[in-house]
Amino acid sequence: MTVNKSRFLLSSLALLLFTSGALAKPWRGIVPLRSTRAQVRKLLGKPIVGGEGVLDLYDLEEGRVHVMYARQPCEEGLPADWGNWRVPRDTVVNISIHLHQEIPVKQLRIRNLEQYKWYTGASGATYYHDRIRGLEYQVQDGMVTAITYGPTRRDRRLLCKQNVPLIR
């Protein structure tokens, strides 16, 4: 198989995984605020970095995967959707995939993408957050460089305190 054909197949597979995951919400069977560290490790194996802390790292075909876990129920003052959830310790809070092969944002075919714009960071990356589906896209120069699967709007019932501001 040629290199170009391999890249095309890998890009197509990644796009299918990410867009179908966007509709189904779980990523590879891992569901934020429901799955546990033990379930993640059963699915993905031993992390390249991890232990009993808040983060496990995996280096998979599609990218570097960061799985963040709750440290304790109802913890506040943490970035984005990480804390303030009524879930047990070691429950998945979000999954971020930092893509090895970037995807043109246009290939995701997200209607009215600008309505999801959250902020643009100092690096120039713009973050788009679809709170209904719990998806966040990191986009730089028209290319999706990372996708985060987190709590959905439906999950708000698991918030310990409502209307706590999101911290980036």
Side-chain angles (χ1 to χ4, degrees):
M1 189 179 302
T2 67
V3 173
N4 286 339
K5 198 176 220 180
S6 296
R7 284 185 181 165
F8 174 76
L9 288 173
L10 183 59
S11 293
S12 298
L13 176 63
L15 182 61
L16 283 172
L17 285 172
F18 294 128
T19 56
S20 65
L23 297 174
K25 186 61 199 69
W27 178 78
R28 287 193 176 197
I30 302 168
V31 183
L33 303 184
R34 304 218 176 18
S35 299
T36 65
R37 183 186 309 266
Q39 292 168 329
V40 170
R41 289 186 176 173
K42 187 174 181 183
L43 286 167
L44 301 181
K46 184 179 177 183
I48 58 171
V49 174
E52 299 306 313
V54 298
L55 180 68
D56 281 349
L57 296 178
Y58 296 88
D59 209 4
L60 303 178
E61 188 174 339
E62 58 264 54
R64 174 70 51 101
V65 178
H66 300 217
V67 181
M68 298 194 77
Y69 301 95
R71 293 191 289 196
Q72 65 186 40
C74 301
E75 187 170 9
E76 292 181 38
L78 299 172
D81 290 331
W82 185 10
N84 192 34
W85 296 105
R86 193 177 300 109
V87 295
R89 177 182 173 82
D90 289 336
T91 300
V92 173
V93 176
N94 67 40
I95 307 118
S96 294
I97 302 100
H98 298 265
L99 304 173
H100 287 314
Q101 259 192 300
E102 299 170 350
I103 302 169
V105 72
K106 289 181 180 183
Q107 279 189 16
L108 295 179
R109 295 188 177 133
I110 299 170
R111 295 179 73 175
N112 303 317
L113 179 66
E114 285 303 309
Q115 74 180 338
Y116 301 112
K117 187 174 180 178
W118 186 21
Y119 71 97
T120 300
S123 68
T126 300
Y127 297 83
Y128 298 91
H129 194 173
D130 179 347
R131 288 173 180 30
I132 293 171
R133 289 200 217 131
L135 292 169
E136 181 182 301
Y137 300 96
Q138 178 181 319
V139 178
Q140 182 122 24
D141 299 322
M143 301 296 284
V144 178
T145 58
I147 300 173
T148 299
Y149 295 78
T152 65
R153 180 165 286 159
R154 228 184 250 167
D155 293 323
R156 292 188 59 75
R157 63 185 172 73
L158 294 173
L159 281 171
C160 296
K161 291 184 180 178
Q162 300 292 325
N163 301 319
V164 173
L166 287 179
I167 302 168
R168 294 185 208 151

